[in-house]
Amino acid sequence: MDFGFSGADEAFRTEARVWLSEHAEAGQDRRVWERTLGKAGWIGLGWGEAGYGNRKATLTQQVVWAEEYARSGAPPRSGHIGEKLLGPTLLAHGTPDQKSRFLPPIAAGDELWCQGYSEPGAGSDLAGVRTAAVRDGAGYRITGQKIWTSLAHEADWCFVLARTEPGSRRHHGLTFLLVPMDQPGRIEVRPIRQLTGTSDFNEVFFDGARARVEHVVGGEGGGWKVAMSLLGFERGVSTLAQQIGFAEELGRVVRAAVETGAVADPVVRERLVRQWAELRAMRWNALQTLGSSGDAGASSVAKLLWGGWHQRLGELAMQVRGAAAGVGPVDWSPAAPYELDPLQQLFLFSRADTIYGGSDQVQRTIIAERVLGLPREPKGVF
């Protein structure tokens, strides 16, 4: 695939860069920022062809926007789960009514989403879902627990993978449901405090939560196909934007190595060069596979590459700092939350990179079974 930029693409890049520089102050409030993006037409790029999104944009222009957004230092998105995961999934599997109901509010930045996949006993093993949804008149009653649910404390809606066929096992009998989060007494969100001191992840408890029949995507029992399709969208254009962020973090580590004198160590220099070379290789791999379909192992290879790379970068960040890496930027007291500098946050958060989004073990199993054709790993039953 050719990703050379045309004149139109360069004009698109200039427009994106200017707009981001002029509206950075709106990022102080995450909901305000989402609506600011939506009003200017920057959410749902490419959906315009289907009549549900904002401005029309080629795949190359979507890459341009993602990279300029990352380079600008704009705030983290609250709406990316709805835009990057649910949106493409509804375009592929949703009914016309579902698309008309849910895509415009996502594109406007008015409704935020979270993902109800992982469970305490079914994290990377998604087919082990136990959350149950029972048909009750014009809808479903949902009972169960989800965990590691990103931004659930901010979300208006959650797409939930639940078991609708009693006694079914593994990927059979699962249904993909769109569930409103504003159900007091039926949905409880509990933040999970991480090593970094932040709480972006949550536990979500469903106690008779309601979902309407018309909010089933892919039909009852068709949840596994929809869920797998969504996971494919999880690693697309956003991967290239992620790598821009990685490059900025690598630059920070290099500067720290120079400041501390660690760069004089040939072992450190070799590790820095290796990190740079591997990041370039990841970029070319992402460009080569972007927009392709039918490659069962592409997303798993990408996850293995960036998860391990980022974790090693965090370890290198601590190495170049030496003993100072163990000291926070401000005095700590038991009465106040501890603070971390950016390199300490990088190290601690990256410990999870090889687990969330599908652990390394699961990714290797996918490659072994679906690409190499090796015998399937025995699965337990519940």
Side-chain angles (χ1 to χ4, degrees):
M1 184 176 295
D2 181 11
F3 282 92
F5 291 151
S6 66
D9 298 328
E10 289 295 349
F12 189 91
R13 179 184 294 281
T14 300
E15 180 185 359
R17 184 180 295 127
V18 170
W19 187 89
L20 285 165
S21 67
E22 291 177 346
H23 291 81
E25 72 282 354
Q28 295 176 358
D29 182 290
R30 292 171 69 151
R31 276 196 179 263
V32 170
W33 180 239
E34 288 299 319
R35 293 185 175 117
T36 301
L37 289 168
K39 185 177 181 180
W42 294 113
I43 301 178
L45 296 181
W47 295 2
E49 284 79 357
Y52 298 106
N54 285 307
R55 67 184 71 207
K56 296 182 179 180
T58 65
L59 185 58
T60 301
Q61 290 172 335
Q62 293 173 49
V63 172
V64 165
W65 165 252
E67 292 187 336
E68 287 303 317
Y69 191 93
R71 287 193 180 98
S72 73
R77 293 283 307 282
S78 293
H80 68 280
I81 295 176
E83 179 190 7
K84 302 300 183 184
L85 301 185
L86 181 65
T89 301
L90 288 179
L91 287 171
H93 301 283
T95 65
D97 287 344
Q98 289 170 351
K99 295 174 186 177
S100 297
R101 164 59 186 86
F102 292 109
L103 292 178
I106 294 174
D110 288 334
E111 290 184 347
L112 305 181
W113 287 79
C114 61
Q115 175 175 289
Y117 273 18
S118 296
E119 299 183 5
S124 294
D125 182 19
L126 186 58
V129 163
R130 296 172 183 260
T131 294
V134 178
R135 183 68 179 268
D136 181 12
Y140 293 84
R141 287 183 292 106
I142 305 168
T143 304
Q145 178 187 357
K146 298 294 182 177
I147 198 167
W148 308 119
T149 310
S150 301
L151 304 178
H153 58 295
E154 299 181 10
D156 303 296
W157 288 79
C158 181
F159 49 88
V160 176
L161 191 64
R163 195 165 295 279
T164 49
E165 181 182 334
S168 61
R169 295 177 177 175
R170 305 302 301 165
H171 59 277
H172 302 288
L174 298 175
T175 299
F176 192 97
L177 298 156
L178 308 180
V179 183
M181 292 292 286
D182 186 14
Q183 299 191 49
R186 293 176 176 173
I187 298 180
E188 180 184 359
V189 177
R190 299 180 189 171
I192 300 173
R193 193 179 185 202
Q194 300 145 221
L195 283 173
T196 55
T198 57
S199 300
D200 290 331
F201 299 118
N202 305 269
E203 295 177 282
V204 181
F205 296 85
F206 298 94
D207 185 8
R210 305 295 306 217
R212 297 164 63 175
V213 170
E214 59 265 34
H215 293 167
V216 170
V217 181
E220 184 173 308
W224 184 253
K225 178 180 179 181
V226 178
M228 291 300 98
S229 176
L230 183 143
L231 290 177
F233 295 125
E234 191 169 8
R235 304 179 185 99
V237 170
S238 58
T239 301
L240 290 163
Q242 178 190 55
Q243 291 169 9
I244 299 295
F246 286 171
E248 293 177 351
E249 290 177 334
L250 176 58
R252 194 176 295 132
V253 173
V254 170
R255 290 190 294 273
V258 173
E259 292 169 359
T260 62
V263 73
D265 185 338
V267 174
V268 170
R269 290 202 304 272
E270 189 275 337
R271 289 190 66 184
L272 290 169
V273 171
R274 181 177 293 274
Q275 291 289 142
W276 177 87
E278 289 177 349
L279 183 58
R280 297 297 297 175
M282 283 194 291
R283 175 173 174 78
W284 291 115
N285 178 70
L287 288 172
Q288 182 181 22
T289 59
L290 186 64
S292 63
S293 60
D295 188 343
S299 61
S300 293
V301 169
K303 176 61 169 60
L304 285 171
L305 287 174
W306 72 253
W309 183 92
H310 201 223
Q311 200 169 83
R312 292 191 296 275
L313 182 66
E315 294 165 354
L316 183 56
M318 296 298 96
Q319 181 181 357
V320 303
R321 292 276 299 280
V327 181
V330 298
D331 291 337
W332 178 84
S333 70
Y338 58 84
E339 293 187 27
L340 303 170
D341 64 37
L343 293 184
Q344 291 169 328
Q345 291 178 335
L346 165 62
F347 170 69
L348 290 176
F349 191 86
S350 65
R351 306 316 299 167
D353 283 338
T354 54
I355 301 173
Y356 72 79
S359 69
D360 279 8
Q361 292 86 346
V362 168
Q363 304 306 328
R364 292 189 179 101
T365 297
I366 291 173
I367 294 170
E369 296 177 356
R370 302 182 188 178
V371 179
L372 302 179
L374 298 179
R376 289 190 171 274
E377 180 182 32
K379 305 289 186 183
V381 297
F382 55 85

